[in-house]
Every structure is written in C-alpha cells, then in structure tokens.
Amino acid sequence: MTWVMTSKKQFYLHDDESLLDGLLRTGHEVNYQCREGYCGSCRVKRIASSHTIDYPFAPLAMIEEDEILPCCCRVRGVIYINHEPIIK
C-alpha cells in the first residue's frame, strides 16, 4: 500500500491508481493536461519518499531532480509531496 502525505492531508492510493488520480480523488487541486508525461503541467515537488520513484516510460517533460509527474510516475511505500503548482 502506498501512503501519500501532503500539507493538506494524508491518504493511500488504491490498487493501480495513479498519484494524480489519488490527489484529485482526495480534493487536491492539481493542474494537468496530457496525463502521459508530455506536458509537465502536473509536476509536484517530492519532499521525501521511502522508495525510489520510477516511470513505466521516460517522460518527455523536463523535470528537476526533486520533481515528479504524478500523472505517470509509480510510487510505493510512503511519499511526502508539496502538491502546490510549480510555476516555471
């Protein structure tokens, strides 16, 4: 089971639920467009995580080392994120 901690609340992801879908389900406001890692509009800052964050395919959007794309990343364990939009 994956636990997600934000400044707003903590919640767990359902089986096969993306981080983006979990954030939206729990009332977090997250910008998104493509849902496939192309645009980068959903990027959030990863504060800490108990496991490595990986992607089923390399996203095309440019992200910093401490950023993740909740639309397409795979998270496990516990992750702490800042869900506020990152303005680039």
Side-chain angles (χ1 to χ4, degrees), residues 25-83:
R25 172 178 55 82
T26 56
H28 292 82
E29 291 185 30
V30 181
N31 294 325
Y32 66 94
Q33 291 180 18
C34 72
R35 290 185 169 258
E36 296 182 8
Y38 298 125
C39 70
S41 64
C42 68
R43 78 182 73 229
V44 297
K45 185 172 278 262
R46 179 184 54 84
I47 298 168
S49 57
S50 64
H51 290 74
T52 303
I53 307 301
D54 65 346
Y55 293 86
F57 52 88
L60 294 178
M62 300 287 288
I63 55 174
E64 299 293 330
E65 201 167 306
D66 64 346
E67 296 174 345
I68 59 172
L69 299 174
C71 70
C72 60
C73 70
R74 289 190 289 209
V75 296
R76 295 176 294 145
V78 178
I79 184 168
Y80 295 83
I81 61 171
N82 179 350
H83 72 284

